[in-house]
Amino acid sequence: MSQTAAFDIGGSKIEFARVSKDGTVSNRATWPTPHTSWGDFVAALQRLVAADGGNPQQIGISIAGTTDSATGIAQAANVPVVNGHHLENEISAALGVPVRVGNDADCFALAEATVGAGKGMPIVFGAILGTGVGGGLVIGGRMVRGAHGVTGEWGHGPTMAEAVAARGIPVIRCGCGQLGCLDSYGSARGLERIHAALTGETLTSQAITEIWHAGDVGATRTVETFVELIAGSLAVIVNTIGPWVIPVGGGLSSDAALLALIDTAVRQRVLGRYDEPLVVPGRTRGASGLIGAAMLADELRA
């Protein structure tokens, strides 16, 4: 049995698994994420480890939140019971094994750089296009952990205000508090927001892409605007860090035609010459949090 176990912690559920060095995932189990107390949260982790029946040598945790690099203190909007806790130290003490914790987007990037679309590549930027816009950076096979635990968050910062206003799209305040973040326009909800502004129709992101594939004129305009907004921001990331590949996760990554459009638009806007696709679907989707968390924990043995 693999010596490394992993948790992928989100707002609704905690997923547990064993992960081998080649990224094979086994012994998967889930438990509802507790929201009432820290004690209940730790107890849920203990139950999942005990039910597995093994004794992992190290545990990795992927969580939808940040862990301050200087203090180790966590902040997670969807898992409020962890706020203010030093996750690595406190969970390690409770479970009796070394623990490493990473942001879920960072863990996605590490999974892709280790066993996914970026395997063996020197610089990998993992992008998330789902309910939000996120990302993670891996250099030399190791997750880059920035100041205050923030790295690769290209979805935030007031960069879109003028661009969306010029297209007749309302400038809205992001959940982070700033106006005009890409997160508000480059996510699935952003696609819906753009479509409503340009056509007056209120549709889900899935419905928009479906009628786009069918040749709908309004949806085509929506998708073209969406791609243009994303491509400009992602091109800046490419020129700044020089990734060999950008694997994409999140719900929108399942649309191959949409990613192909984004890839073409990005490669047209960067300084380097990329003859092969740069923006590609991630290969570890569905298990990226678990795999990335395990790979992060494996660094404890390196």
Side-chain angles (χ1 to χ4, degrees):
M1 184 180 289
S2 170
Q3 296 174 319
T4 303
F7 291 102
D8 188 2
I9 301 173
S12 61
K13 69 177 180 179
I14 299 171
E15 187 167 15
F16 171 88
R18 292 281 184 152
V19 183
S20 64
K21 288 185 177 181
D22 66 359
T24 300
V25 176
S26 60
N27 295 33
R28 293 177 82 156
T30 61
W31 193 272
T33 303
H35 290 278
T36 56
S37 75
W38 171 253
D40 289 344
F41 175 77
V42 172
L45 304 184
Q46 291 171 324
R47 287 190 193 97
L48 287 166
V49 172
D52 178 57
N55 296 302
Q57 289 193 349
Q58 57 276 323
I59 291 175
I61 296 176
S62 168
I63 190 166
T66 60
T67 302
D68 192 294
S69 301
T71 67
I73 300 302
Q75 184 69 34
N78 293 332
V79 194
V81 294
V82 308
N83 292 341
H85 289 273
H86 193 299
L87 293 187
E88 291 186 346
N89 287 356
E90 294 182 53
I91 294 175
S92 178
L95 300 181
V97 295
V99 171
R100 293 291 302 277
V101 178
N103 168 265
D104 55 352
D106 292 336
C107 286
F108 166 78
L110 184 57
E112 288 296 320
T114 307
V115 297
K119 181 179 180 180
M121 297 183 185
I123 303 175
V124 176
F125 183 76
I128 303 296
L129 297 176
T131 54
V133 176
L137 177 62
V138 177
I139 298 178
R142 297 182 76 90
M143 179 190 297
V144 177
R145 302 166 75 95
H148 309 295
V150 178
T151 310
E153 293 292 352
W154 65 297
H156 295 282
T159 61
M160 291 287 107
E162 291 185 8
V164 297
R167 292 167 173 79
I169 302 167
V171 179
I172 68 168
R173 190 168 299 280
C174 178
C176 75
Q178 301 187 85
L179 286 169
C181 289
L182 179 65
D183 190 79
S184 299
Y185 307 98
S187 60
R189 302 294 82 77
L191 181 66
E192 295 164 2
R193 192 171 288 119
I194 292 169
H195 190 73
L198 297 182
T199 69
E201 296 179 326
T202 302
L203 297 175
T204 65
S205 59
Q206 183 177 356
I208 293 167
T209 56
E210 285 177 355
I211 63 174
W212 167 58
H213 286 298
D216 182 83
V217 174
T220 297
R221 183 184 176 200
T222 294
V223 169
E224 289 174 348
T225 301
F226 178 80
V227 168
E228 187 176 358
L229 293 173
I230 286 177
S233 293
L234 198 49
V236 173
I237 297 294
V238 173
N239 287 337
T240 301
I241 65 174
W244 264 247
V245 69
I246 302 176
V248 182
L252 294 175
S253 68
S254 62
D255 192 314
L258 179 61
L259 283 196
L261 275 185
I262 295 172
D263 174 60
T264 298
V266 170
R267 287 193 284 147
Q268 289 173 343
R269 288 165 170 78
V270 298
L271 295 176
R273 177 175 174 175
Y274 289 86
D275 294 325
E276 299 296 326
L278 172 64
V279 181
V280 301
R283 296 177 185 170
T284 62
R285 288 174 296 173
S288 59
L290 293 167
I291 295 171
M295 300 306 174
L296 180 62
D298 280 342
E299 294 179 1
L300 292 166
R301 292 189 294 176

